[in-house]
Amino acid sequence: MTVNGTRLELGVNAGIEHCRTMLEECRDHAGTGADVEINAADVARADTATLQMLIALRRDLRTNGGTLKWLAVSCEMHDVAERMGLIEALGMPAVATPAVTNSPAEN
Amino acid sequence: MIDLSEFHDVFFEECFEGLDIMESGLLNLDGNGADSEQINDIFRAAHSIKGAAATFGFDAMSGFSHIMETLLDEMRDGRRAVERRGLDLLLESVDCLREMVNSTKAGDTTPPPVVADLTGRIQQMLAAGPGAVAAAPAKSATAEPEQDGAPAEEVVAAESAEKSADSVAGSRNLWRIMFVPFEGLLKTGNEPARIFRELAQLGILEVKADTSCIPALDVIDPEVCYLSWNLTLGGDMTRGQIEDVFDWVTGQCELSIDLISGELPTQKAAASLSVVESVEPPVAATDQPAPAAAAVAAPASVKEESTVSEQTESSKNQTNAEPAAEAADGRAAASTAAAKDNGSIRVGIDKVDALINMVGELVITQSMLSQIGEDLSRVDSIGLERLRDGLIQLERNTRELQETVLQIRMLPISFAFNRFPRLVRDLSNKLGKRIELKLTGEQTEVDKTVLEKLGDPLVHLVRNSMDHGLESPEVRRASGKSEVGVLELSARHEGGDIVIEVIDDGAGLNRERILQKAVSKGLVSANDDLSDERIYNLIFQPGFSTAEVVSDVSGRGVGMDVVRRNIRDLGGNVTITSEAGQGSRVTIRLPLTLAILDGQLVRVGEQVYIILLVSIVESIQITAANMGQIAGRSELYRLREQYIPVVRLSELFGVPHAVTDLQAGLLVVVESEGRRVGLFVDDLMGQQQVVIKSLETNFRHVGGISGATILGDGTVALILDVAGILNECARAQESKDREFPRLAVA
Amino acid sequence: MTSESTQVSRENDFIPADEDGQFLTFILGNEEYGVDILRVQEIKGWDKATPIPNTPDYIKGVINLRGTVVPIIDLRSCFNIGPTEYGKTTVIVVVKVLGAKGERTMGFVVDGVSDVYTVEKSKLKPAPDFGGNVSSDFIRGLVTVDEKMVILLDVDQLVNRGIEQAIEAGSVH
């Protein structure tokens, strides 16, 4: 996961093994109220740890007047989120969008 | 990284349980025809093992279970007939998988060579075609599934109509599942996403997540689980199947599974739901072919497709939807009542033992207080009266607590009996005999340790009956018996004991041969007048075997004396009776509890010994007229019709200052395995509950002593081993008898 | 009933003979003996033991140690040091013995307990085999403390080899 401006890029493995690193990067945005774009096109593995963390991130951004925009989300990650009933909480698009688009699905 | 190795033990345990389920399920199917619920249970067991093995990286195991699962899947879907060849192959595979679990447990994950062979044979069977598929019902013959796909799916659809017509009640099950993981659930390598994926395979799953507990980003610990879920699951699954899915997280979450009713969730458009389907009476379904098709197209696995197609098929083909719906509701209600309530938890046996030890200590303390209460009672006082009442109450409470706690360790004897259907089946095939196994009293409960130690002796007795007792079909026919021999294993409670019997209707024991053998071994003399009873029980003597050809099935008679020793170690005894030509009956008698028993205190000199009440026949004062002696050596006492040897404990144990005048002391007549002896003591003291402490833990085995206990005053008292003393006696007696003529001995 | 007993806390087991260690010393007759402090579980006042039939005299019997049955060995009798008289200082040293079957708890009756000494391994001298009361198999070494000779015992050898074997040999069953 890298920080590129206000963009969060998730790597291939976004599972619990990497959650601490991801947490650090999420925290960089905490309290800023920025509009963060998240690119999860490459994610092959995601789980509860990651998703709940992203929910926390989204909440934090919105509390401070910002947004979390999903530029792209891989089928795998979308699948996991859908299976766990977390699409709404994450503000994910209704369907997986594996390609990065210029007009991100707004939430 | 998360280290999963500490969870291996639980995994192995659960594998064994799953394998047992598979084995008994397969045995049940054999001869009883296809039972879809049964096959499904077997399938699920294989499925669980596969998944869990994969989680732990035991790929060989996972791969092998997968191929077994494939075969089972075909059977449960009706794509393959359930017949002997397939069942035999699966039974062999269960054995192989068990072997794999055992060797993995021992640290060796290389698959045994038989895996490749069995895998090949299963693949052959799969490739060769389904065999005679169960007849597709006429009802749905005209049903044309809407989806495209392989012919297999058509068969599935045709089948499913019949199944769903039968199990329409099942397809109406709607479960509400509340799943609240504890914080540490993620850290143990468990992942709710996986669990939900599995649940979705059982039926239609609707997921609602509760994210309210997720804390702020600056304090969140990502490895802690803050989410909980409310799920609804509809389909023809049982509670057990749902619980299986949550197996790995038992104890790490709050889980409640409730059967709601026969309605399935109505269609929702929200994207946050995973798979949604409406299966109302045909009207609704036929109005919405589109979502049905879409739902069919979406899921990846064949299984999900077939589940969904079942639903659509069943709704389309119901010509009698209304009465079916009513019947469904009725049966759903019935299934709630019948649904096994699986409210249980796993507890380490060491915790149970610790609890039992504590209760034991409590018993000692309570008896100590009671003793003080007794002593004080001689002083009159209201306060003391109340103290006494309190103590009586305490005794009642303690006894109740003790009984309850001991119950925890009790398990039904079916655990020990369960291996026999397979064993009898295989062995009767091998021997070319036809043998029917009957099990009675399987729910009789026995202490866990007893259960474990009972296994081997029972196996030996059963093999013995099958090998030597029960005859071949020809022989049986010739003697006018039915060709099928009957072997019965029974268990029951009797008095304070548990009685287990192995009964066969075979040829019975050969009295003459046994007597001959015993004489030739010098165990008895040719002139002895021995009862049939005595003769039959000689087979428990070491080295005894009258089999002319030692078969590899039950080996030499070495087994019988080991059986008796094992039973004795459990504090019980074993005897055999027989009728020539009719059969034999081996009776094992064991005390119900091992840990706490009732004991009689006796005084010898300054020492106090304990004799367990179960061994005591009676206690009497000696009348000189009834004393006898043989050639000035062993003393005998005439008790009614018998002469019993007298053992002076003071001599046996070297206790000084004891009463020597026989008329001044008491004779405690004790019995073990049908033999009696009189123990001469100074006096009887009270009775008390005895918590048996081992002498061998810190010291060693002492002849004539079976253990120790703590008395009310805190000192240690030794517990007499009646069987041991009797053996001593018998040995001494028999060697003397050879020199001198003797009186009839019991 | 139960006499006072002092518990000695203990972390690990056994120190190899070639390292510095601490020993609890006690008196038997005129001699001073010692055992590895890490093996000593507690020291208990002498209490009557329940005799066990058909065992050598130096096995006094068993006592109840907080619910466990523990055998008591009279070392004085065991080493044939002379008649055993139990007096005010007589105590039981409760020790952990390691053997083939695992760990066992036993008690030694001694005339009195002296002190705990630290012994430097360099000061430990081997025991000459001059056929004294105690076979050199059971002695880890000799050491001089305050001008007294202390005989350091090997508890495991003493119990597993010496005493067990004697019981075995004399045992009827």
Side-chain angles (χ1 to χ4, degrees), chain B residues 361 368 606-609 652-654 693-700 702-705 708-710 712-718 728, chain C residues 1-2 48-55 59 62-71 101 103-106 164 167-168 171-173:
Chain B
E361 298 307 318
M368 187 175 74
E606 284 165 11
Q607 296 304 317
V608 175
Y609 294 96
L652 187 64
F653 293 150
K693 305 268 179 193
S694 159
L695 202 56
E696 292 173 57
T697 310
N698 287 322
F699 190 54
R700 56 189 278 123
V702 176
I705 303 290
T709 188
I710 317 283
D713 63 357
T715 59
V716 176
L718 299 176
E728 268 304 294
Chain C
M1 208 179 79
T2 39
K48 250 179 21 153
T50 302
I52 304 176
N54 299 317
T55 50
I59 305 220
V62 286
I63 59 166
N64 165 25
L65 190 67
R66 289 186 300 285
T68 314
V69 173
V70 173
K101 293 184 239 155
E103 212 181 67
R104 294 193 284 175
T105 307
M106 297 194 164
E164 288 282 339
I167 298 180
E168 215 57 64
S171 151
V172 181
H173 305 281

Side-chain angles (χ1 to χ4, degrees), chain B residues 428-690:
Chain B
S428 55
N429 282 343
K430 190 169 173 187
L431 293 171
K433 297 182 182 173
R434 295 181 57 200
I435 300 174
E436 179 195 319
L437 177 67
K438 257 177 59 176
L439 299 176
T440 45
E442 293 137 279
Q443 291 315 305
T444 311
E445 290 200 336
V446 171
D447 180 273
K448 186 184 201 295
T449 311
V450 170
L451 198 66
E452 284 162 8
K453 299 205 174 154
L454 208 48
D456 287 346
L458 279 180
V459 168
H460 187 84
L461 292 172
V462 163
R463 291 181 128 165
N464 229 30
S465 274
M466 292 182 70
D467 197 22
H468 301 304
L470 290 162
E471 319 93 320
S472 69
E474 303 82 56
V475 174
R476 286 183 69 93
R477 217 182 318 134
S479 11
K481 292 185 184 175
S482 111
E483 280 190 7
V484 179
V486 176
L487 180 63
E488 182 183 344
L489 282 177
S490 85
R492 63 180 185 277
H493 285 156
E494 209 175 75
D497 293 335
I498 172 169
V499 179
I500 300 150
E501 299 193 301
V502 180
I503 308 161
D504 68 66
D505 67 348
L509 295 175
N510 187 325
R511 184 186 184 279
E512 290 319 312
R513 263 229 303 255
I514 295 176
L515 190 53
Q516 250 174 39
K517 196 80 176 204
V519 169
S520 75
K521 283 190 175 283
L523 296 169
V524 293
S525 93
N527 303 329
D528 290 344
D529 177 24
L530 296 168
S531 63
D532 285 355
E533 203 75 25
R534 233 0 257 275
I535 295 178
Y536 293 139
N537 283 293
L538 285 170
I539 64 170
F540 290 109
Q541 300 285 358
F544 207 97
S545 170
T546 57
E548 252 128 43
V549 175
V550 173
S551 70
D552 75 322
V553 169
S554 43
R556 313 182 153 273
V558 171
M560 283 312 233
D561 90 305
V562 172
V563 166
R564 187 165 70 169
R565 201 179 328 138
N566 287 350
I567 303 291
R568 272 225 197 115
D569 284 345
L570 292 172
N573 61 49
V574 57
T575 49
I576 186 166
T577 58
S578 170
E579 263 200 66
Q582 309 272 38
S584 316
R585 173 192 295 254
V586 178
T587 308
I588 299 174
R589 195 173 276 271
L590 295 165
L592 264 182
T593 64
L594 302 181
I596 303 183
L597 297 168
D598 291 313
Q600 170 72 53
L601 276 65
V602 298
R603 192 168 51 79
V604 179
E606 284 165 11
Q607 296 304 317
V608 175
Y609 294 96
I610 307 251
I611 307 175
L612 295 177
L613 284 188
V614 291
S615 314
I616 301 182
V617 176
E618 58 190 293
S619 305
I620 51 181
Q621 279 205 302
I622 297 185
T623 31
N626 287 327
M627 280 305 303
Q629 272 193 319
I630 304 174
R633 275 138 136 228
S634 41
E635 298 171 294
L636 293 181
Y637 189 74
R638 193 178 81 190
L639 182 67
R640 297 184 285 275
E641 301 310 313
Q642 296 174 349
Y643 278 92
I644 56 173
V646 170
V647 172
R648 290 173 185 261
L649 287 179
S650 55
E651 279 176 21
L652 187 64
F653 293 150
V655 184
H657 314 307
V659 168
T660 43
D661 174 8
L662 285 175
Q663 291 181 267
L666 284 174
L667 196 69
V668 179
V669 182
V670 294
E671 179 181 79
S672 168
E673 288 167 15
R675 293 176 299 165
R676 292 183 176 186
V677 74
L679 302 176
F680 183 65
V681 304
D682 294 6
D683 203 0
L684 290 188
M685 299 163 74
Q687 287 180 2
Q688 75 171 54
Q689 286 215 293
V690 164

Side-chain angles (χ1 to χ4, degrees), chain A residues 25-91:
Chain A
E25 293 167 2
C26 282
R27 280 187 175 150
D28 287 341
H29 297 287
T32 61
D35 291 336
V36 175
E37 296 176 330
I38 177 165
N39 177 8
D42 294 334
V43 175
R45 171 166 155 62
D47 56 20
T48 308
T50 326
L51 296 183
Q52 63 182 8
M53 196 169 52
L54 292 175
I55 293 175
L57 173 63
R58 180 168 180 260
R59 266 196 205 148
D60 180 281
L61 293 174
R62 293 180 89 185
T63 312
N64 293 303
T67 53
L68 179 70
K69 295 183 190 123
W70 289 87
L71 287 187
V73 55
S74 67
C75 293
E76 288 83 357
M77 188 165 182
H78 190 271
D79 207 39
V80 172
E82 185 166 32
R83 220 182 297 138
M84 298 178 62
L86 296 174
I87 299 282
E88 228 181 296
L90 284 162

Side-chain angles (χ1 to χ4, degrees), chain B residues 3-12 56 188 248 252:
Chain B
D3 178 16
L4 296 174
S5 58
E6 54 187 272
F7 303 101
H8 285 180
D9 283 342
V10 179
F11 164 65
F12 293 132
F56 286 104
T188 55
W248 284 104
Q252 295 185 64

Side-chain angles (χ1 to χ4, degrees), chain C residues 120-133:
Chain C
E120 290 158 58
K121 62 180 176 192
S122 52
K123 300 268 175 64
L124 197 66
K125 299 184 188 48
D129 194 3
F130 50 72
N133 286 325

Side-chain angles (χ1 to χ4, degrees), chain C residues 26-136:
Chain C
F26 50 83
I27 314 225
L28 293 176
N30 293 328
E31 315 275 317
E32 191 140 341
Y33 294 83
V35 287
D36 185 347
I37 192 76
L38 295 179
R39 293 310 198 78
V40 178
Q41 181 181 300
E42 64 193 89
I43 300 165
K44 204 169 144 23
W46 162 250
D47 223 344
K48 250 179 21 153
T50 302
I52 304 176
N54 299 317
T55 50
D57 281 342
Y58 54 78
I59 305 220
K60 304 309 294 177
V62 286
I63 59 166
N64 165 25
L65 190 67
R66 289 186 300 285
T68 314
V69 173
V70 173
I72 303 297
I73 297 163
D74 186 328
L75 281 185
R76 209 168 166 181
S77 170
C78 190
F79 297 158
N80 265 320
I81 294 177
T84 316
E85 281 156 25
Y86 296 138
K88 285 207 207 78
T89 54
T90 307
V91 290
I92 298 176
V93 178
V94 180
V95 295
K96 283 257 179 263
V97 178
L98 296 179
K101 293 184 239 155
E103 212 181 67
R104 294 193 284 175
T105 307
M106 297 194 164
F108 294 145
V109 181
V110 302
D111 294 347
V113 159
S114 295
D115 214 331
V116 177
Y117 297 115
T118 307
V119 175
E120 290 158 58
K121 62 180 176 192
S122 52
K123 300 268 175 64
L124 197 66
K125 299 184 188 48
D129 194 3
F130 50 72
N133 286 325
V134 188
S135 156
S136 57

Side-chain angles (χ1 to χ4, degrees), chain A residues 16-17 19-20 23 26-27 29-30 46-49 52-53 55-57 59-60 80-89 94, chain B residues 1-2 186 191-194 196-197 207 209 211-212 214-215 217-227 229 271-274:
Chain A
I16 192 171
E17 305 85 20
C19 61
R20 294 221 172 263
L23 180 61
C26 282
R27 280 187 175 150
H29 297 287
D47 56 20
T48 308
Q52 63 182 8
M53 196 169 52
I55 293 175
L57 173 63
R59 266 196 205 148
D60 180 281
V80 172
E82 185 166 32
R83 220 182 297 138
M84 298 178 62
L86 296 174
I87 299 282
E88 228 181 296
Chain B
M1 257 322 276
I2 297 165
L186 299 179
E191 175 49 49
R194 245 194 332 257
F196 295 169
R197 195 191 322 140
V207 182
T211 60
S212 56
I214 299 180
L217 197 58
D218 52 357
V219 296
I220 192 174
D221 175 357
E223 285 179 6
V224 166
C225 186
Y226 301 100
L227 296 166
W229 287 270
S272 62
L273 301 174
S274 38

